[in-house]
Amino acid sequence: MESDKIQLDKFNFASPPAYDIYNIKWDYVKAIGVSDSGACGVIFVETLFGSFVIKGSNDPAIEYFCYLFYKNLRINIPKTLCFEFCDEEYKKIDQNMHKFLCHDDVLNNRVHSRLSNPFFLVMQYMAGNTITSLGPKKAEKYMSAADKASQLDLIEIGKVVATDTLVNMVDRYPMIWDNDGNPENLIFNLKTKHKNTSEELKDFNNTSFGLKGTVAIDNRPFMYWHKNP
């Protein structure tokens, strides 16, 4: 792919995940998007083989520990890889991202600071809705205690809440902490295909998508230790 022929589309938030984030197909990138939610936002990358997320992390050890911890408890969480600035994969990500961004000044201005970090987390993208963006019809379908799949999903939410409390995850739900929390960090992961669109996914009245399960994202607990005087 010649750099002067690169033209990116608008990121499709209904795109399915890239299952092989160990081997990213950079020549097949279709779109790049940016999220302003969270502490520093993330970068969405869509390819012909699915989508993934890049995040510049200030606390990679804590975030990767939580990924392994939640995964071992069988809590749904995006597959995650961590790369340091000296890793070849980090350099490949950095080079390819700047190759695409040099053709879009607006996007480059939004993304540049997110790439100025010595650690990258690369995660599978999970298409879906947060609790705040479900709407009444979707909430009735995906959170109904009368439906077997929804019952299991409510149990999964309970597991997330319990584990959050254990590891001091203050930035999801205001359980025992004096803050508002961030419900955007829990996603109802929906069964989407490449042909589906962002508009279909965000439609409050569209209940045609099947539910894969609830996914915990942006897992950054507040960890500290007390030093004895």
Side-chain angles (χ1 to χ4, degrees):
M1 178 184 291
E2 295 297 325
S3 60
D4 58 351
K5 296 181 181 179
I6 296 174
Q7 185 170 357
L8 298 175
D9 297 328
K10 188 176 180 180
F11 183 81
N12 178 17
F13 285 95
S15 59
Y19 287 99
D20 186 8
I21 59 173
Y22 295 92
N23 185 25
I24 296 171
K25 307 293 186 183
W26 288 104
D27 287 342
Y28 297 93
V29 169
K30 295 173 54 182
I32 295 175
V34 185
S35 169
D36 290 324
S37 63
C40 57
V42 298
I43 304 167
F44 302 111
V45 182
E46 180 184 354
T47 77
L48 293 176
F49 302 97
S51 298
F52 61 94
V53 176
I54 300 172
K55 178 182 180 181
S57 176
N58 294 321
D59 299 303
I62 291 177
E63 292 196 61
Y64 197 70
F65 161 78
C66 274
Y67 161 67
L68 296 175
F69 187 65
Y70 280 57
K71 179 184 175 183
N72 284 330
L73 292 176
R74 298 185 179 181
I75 292 173
N76 293 328
I77 190 169
K79 184 184 295 182
T80 302
L81 301 175
C82 183
F83 300 110
E84 190 178 3
F85 70 94
C86 55
D87 295 332
E88 285 302 316
E89 193 61 33
Y90 178 103
K91 296 174 184 177
K92 189 184 297 185
I93 293 170
D94 188 62
Q95 290 170 1
N96 278 283
M97 287 300 299
H98 282 95
K99 177 182 71 175
F100 291 115
L101 295 173
C102 70
H103 298 271
D104 189 326
D105 291 338
V106 175
L107 187 61
N108 182 57
N109 290 335
R110 299 186 67 194
V111 171
H112 182 75
S113 62
R114 293 166 170 79
L115 296 174
S116 302
N117 196 293
F119 292 93
F120 288 154
L121 295 179
V122 177
M123 300 163 280
Q124 283 183 319
Y125 172 70
M126 297 293 172
N129 298 121
T130 63
I131 284 182
T132 56
S133 64
L134 278 178
K137 288 188 176 181
K138 285 184 176 180
E140 183 179 3
K141 178 178 180 179
Y142 301 135
M143 300 182 70
S144 171
D147 179 74
K148 183 64 176 178
S150 296
Q151 287 177 8
L152 295 175
D153 199 53
L154 292 172
I155 292 173
E156 287 297 316
I157 294 175
K159 288 169 61 178
V160 171
V161 171
T163 308
D164 284 354
T165 306
L166 177 64
V167 299
N168 203 29
M169 185 76 70
V170 301
D171 193 28
R172 193 167 353 249
Y173 293 119
M175 293 291 296
I176 58 174
W177 308 282
D178 186 21
N179 72 331
D180 294 331
N182 184 5
E184 303 294 309
N185 290 338
L186 192 70
I187 293 178
F188 287 82
N189 187 208
L190 303 179
K191 298 176 182 178
T192 60
K193 299 179 180 179
H194 288 283
K195 66 179 182 179
N196 295 127
T197 66
S198 298
E199 290 72 25
E200 290 174 330
L201 183 69
K202 296 176 182 179
D203 184 355
F204 289 155
N205 297 313
N206 184 1
T207 59
S208 63
F209 296 112
L211 178 65
K212 285 185 177 181
T214 304
V215 179
I217 64 170
D218 199 15
N219 302 295
R220 294 180 299 108
F222 181 61
M223 291 185 171
Y224 66 95
W225 58 91
H226 178 71
K227 185 176 180 181
N228 294 324

